[in-house]
Amino acid sequence: MALPILYSSWSSSCSSRVRIALALKKIDYEYHAVNIRSEEEQKDFFLNNPAKKVPILKINGLTLTESMAIIEYLDEVYPNPPLLPKDAGEKAHARAIAFHISSNIQPLQNLAICKMVDKIKPDYGITWCNHHITYGFDALEELLKKYSGKFCVGDQITVADINLPSIVYNAKYNVDMTPYPTISRIASVLAEIPEFQAAEASRQPDAPKDN
Ligand SMILES: N[C@@H](CCC(=O)N[C@@H](CS)C(=O)NCC(=O)O)C(=O)O
């Protein structure tokens, strides 16, 4: 059977979530790099996703979009290891943290938003993005203080952990992480896990050599 194809961009946080899930589930796939900075180079890829965004996963005859929907599909069809806790309350906490990152923080600091803010107010994009990461991290730190064990929710890797590394990566150059010891601790633990390492931006085939 043909390998699944992941349309991904090396620096895309949403793509990295799916890369981590695929690695944890031990699913081999073909990597199709999409240059999200070039509209011309994206033309063919647009046919796969009307929203014109990565990630897209072609798997089992399906074309799947939206990182969290893709991860839930993978978790249902390939249940080992599970990416959600069994306990209903813990499951809700894991989803809440995952959505806090993927819906509350990420969309306000992505490349398209940064570019648009720069157009309205030149060179303001980075300030905008860092403000929204900091605002989101204040809440994330509190959530993690309440629910974390070794990982974001207890001691099992969940969808919450899958969302964490890329948003910390986006923060690392411009956001002071001192007020976020719990976020930093869990990010360091995750950075030691081979499946998370394999999904890192700098290890992707389309990453610039000097990254
Ligand atoms: N909610 C979507 C967001 C996807 C998204 O924003 N992808 C970004 C990269 S992280 C992208 O393709 N940006 C290109 C653009 O907006 O032009 C998901 O979680 O998959």
Side-chain angles (χ1 to χ4, degrees):
M1 200 156 92
L3 283 181
I5 302 174
L6 177 66
Y7 291 77
S8 165
S9 180
W10 69 280
S11 63
S12 150
S13 52
C14 312
S15 302
S16 96
R17 293 174 200 146
V18 176
R19 297 195 296 254
I20 296 168
L22 287 164
L24 289 169
K25 302 280 185 188
K26 310 233 176 303
I27 301 170
D28 281 339
Y29 62 94
E30 200 179 299
Y31 186 99
H32 186 115
V34 177
N35 182 353
I36 54 175
R37 288 171 176 78
S38 156
E39 281 201 16
E40 189 52 37
E41 283 181 43
Q42 287 177 22
K43 269 191 183 139
D44 288 347
F45 140 83
F46 283 172
L47 302 173
N48 292 299
N49 185 1
K52 302 176 183 171
K53 291 190 187 298
V54 287
I56 299 163
L57 183 66
K58 290 195 172 181
I59 189 166
N60 300 332
L62 301 168
T63 298
L64 304 177
T65 61
E66 284 295 328
S67 58
M68 292 302 293
I70 297 172
I71 291 166
E72 292 226 1
Y73 171 88
L74 293 175
D75 208 30
E76 276 186 41
V77 178
Y78 307 92
N80 288 313
L83 300 177
L84 284 168
K86 273 212 169 72
D87 176 82
E90 291 200 337
K91 196 181 286 184
H93 297 323
R95 283 192 169 123
I97 292 168
F99 284 118
H100 177 65
I101 297 170
S102 65
S103 305
N104 293 349
I105 307 178
Q106 191 279 335
L108 289 169
Q109 57 80 69
N110 67 24
L111 185 62
I113 294 291
C114 225
K115 275 189 189 163
M116 196 172 172
V117 173
D118 272 343
K119 264 193 198 157
I120 299 166
K121 188 170 174 185
D123 298 329
Y124 192 65
I126 287 283
T127 308
W128 167 282
C129 291
N130 291 340
H131 164 78
H132 287 290
I133 294 177
T134 304
Y135 186 73
F137 275 17
D138 288 347
L140 181 60
E141 179 68 18
E142 292 309 309
L143 288 168
L144 294 178
K145 270 190 203 154
K146 266 191 179 167
Y147 302 124
S148 67
K150 181 175 182 190
F151 299 114
C152 288
V153 177
D155 296 328
Q156 177 196 336
I157 291 175
T158 67
V159 288
D161 300 287
I162 287 179
N163 275 267
L164 192 70
S166 53
I167 202 72
V168 171
Y169 177 89
N170 287 0
K172 80 175 173 191
Y173 294 111
N174 300 300
V175 173
D176 174 15
M177 292 298 288
T178 318
Y180 310 120
T182 319
I183 298 177
S184 302
R185 172 184 64 77
I186 298 170
S188 301
V189 170
L190 296 172
E192 296 299 316
I193 299 174
E195 287 84 354
F196 283 73
Q197 291 171 348
E200 280 169 10
S202 61
R203 297 197 186 202
Q204 304 315 303
D206 52 334
K209 295 285 166 276
D210 56 356
N211 192 270

